[in-house]
């Protein structure tokens, strides 16, 4: 699909200008002159990731955590630059600019450049303007917020940022509760975190949604969409089989303990 037309200045030039403003900060040079997390904590230290309820969501090594925190700082700088760039645009101009960025991000994603794709997807969200009416809000949610959050969740999966993936899926599902991709990706993120209890209902719902889509609209999207749907269904089934097998092994182990 051709990218949407953008009014005013060329969107690629606008985005490149924003990227230049953000990237020319000398962050790498500053970081190189400071002690690393591994130097301070030791290379064998394991950092636990915890949610607001102090439930462990995963672990990270010092260098992984340092990279994540530096990425967050860089993201905040990008957000500030993007906000400054779009502040005088009309709602329609913001939406056109963001949709053009989304198309560019999709190209990076299909090229497996997930980090660059994630940067552009985040930039898109800065330009969200829900307008003054419910119709304008729904337009922005449908055209921009839902697809961008769903695609950003896919990037987070590939980058190993599973908690962030769950957050993006929660936003997408608040807009479209029956988004099979968002439900699947949230379930997969829980699975990767080892939280089978949360992963199973999401994966089971994703399977039901995929089967419903196949039966209600078997020809929708043509052969490519049908193959993609079949592939997604196989992956969901594989994860569910593993979760059920793991649960059965746990029950068997517990029964043996009580039989001693």
């Amino acid at each position: 699909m051709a990218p949407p037309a953008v009014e005013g200045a060329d969107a690629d030039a606008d985005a490149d200008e924003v990227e230049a403003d953000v990237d020319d900060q000398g962050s790498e040079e500053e970081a190189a002159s400071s002690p690393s997390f591994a130097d301070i904590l030791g290379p064998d230290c394991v950092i636990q990731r915890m949610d607001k309820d102090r439930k462990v969501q995963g672990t990270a090594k010092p260098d992984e955590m340092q990279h994540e925190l530096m990425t967050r700082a860089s993201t905040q700088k990008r957000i500030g630059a993007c906000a400054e760039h779009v502040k005088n645009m009309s709602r329609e101009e913001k939406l056109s600019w963001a949709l053009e960025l989304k198309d560019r991000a999709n190209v990076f994603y299909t090229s497996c450049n997930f980090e660059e794709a994630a940067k552009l997807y985040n930039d898109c969200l800065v330009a969200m303007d829900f307008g003054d009416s419910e119709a304008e809000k729904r337009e922005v949610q449908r055209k921009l917020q839902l697809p961008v959050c769903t695609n950003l969740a896919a990037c987070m999966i590939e980058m190993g940022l599973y908690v962030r993936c769950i957050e993006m899926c929660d936003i997408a599902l608040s807009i479209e509760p029956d988004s099979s991709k968002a439900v699947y990706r949230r379930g997969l993120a829980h699975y990767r975190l080892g939280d089978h209890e949360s992963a199973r209902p999401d994966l089971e719902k994703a399977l039901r949604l995929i089967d419903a889509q196949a039966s209600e609209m078997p020809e929708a999207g043509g052969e490519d969409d049908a193959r993609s749907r079949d592939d997604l269904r196989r992956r969901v089934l594989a994860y569910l089989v593993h979760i059920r097998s793991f649960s059965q092994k746990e029950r068997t182990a517990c029964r043996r303990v009580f039989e001693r």
Side-chain angles (χ1 to χ4, degrees), residues 17-25 27 74 77-79 81-82:
E17 179 183 332
V18 171
E19 290 174 12
D21 289 343
V22 175
D23 293 337
D24 190 21
Q25 302 292 335
S27 299
S74 176
K77 291 178 181 178
R78 281 184 77 95
I79 289 172
C82 287

Side-chain angles (χ1 to χ4, degrees), residues 6-98:
V6 180
E7 298 175 5
D10 178 75
D12 285 353
D14 289 344
D16 291 340
E17 179 183 332
V18 171
E19 290 174 12
D21 289 343
V22 175
D23 293 337
D24 190 21
Q25 302 292 335
S27 299
E28 293 184 3
E29 289 79 358
E30 293 173 12
S33 63
S34 305
S36 69
F37 279 25
D39 293 336
I40 297 170
L41 301 174
D44 298 325
C45 176
V46 176
I47 302 168
Q48 290 187 329
R49 304 175 187 271
M50 307 182 82
D51 63 14
K52 59 183 177 61
D53 299 319
R54 300 190 63 79
K55 182 179 179 181
V56 176
Q57 295 289 307
T59 60
K61 292 184 177 180
D63 55 347
E64 294 172 337
M65 182 60 70
Q66 182 169 9
H67 176 72
E68 183 176 329
L69 293 176
M70 290 177 65
T71 299
R72 287 182 186 176
S74 176
T75 298
Q76 290 302 314
K77 291 178 181 178
R78 281 184 77 95
I79 289 172
C82 287
E84 181 67 22
H85 181 73
V86 303
K87 69 178 183 180
N88 294 322
M89 291 183 182
S90 68
R91 191 187 77 87
E92 292 76 13
E93 288 170 336
K94 290 176 184 176
L95 182 57
S96 293
W97 183 80

Side-chain angles (χ1 to χ4, degrees), residues 158-186:
E158 298 294 344
M159 296 165 67
L161 302 176
Y162 305 123
V163 175
R164 178 65 171 159
C165 172
I166 292 168
E167 293 170 353
M168 290 296 99
C169 290
D170 285 344
I171 294 172
L173 291 168
S174 72
I175 301 168
E176 179 49 69
D178 288 340
S179 169
S180 57
K181 289 182 179 179
V183 174
Y184 163 68
R185 287 166 186 163
R186 188 173 68 179

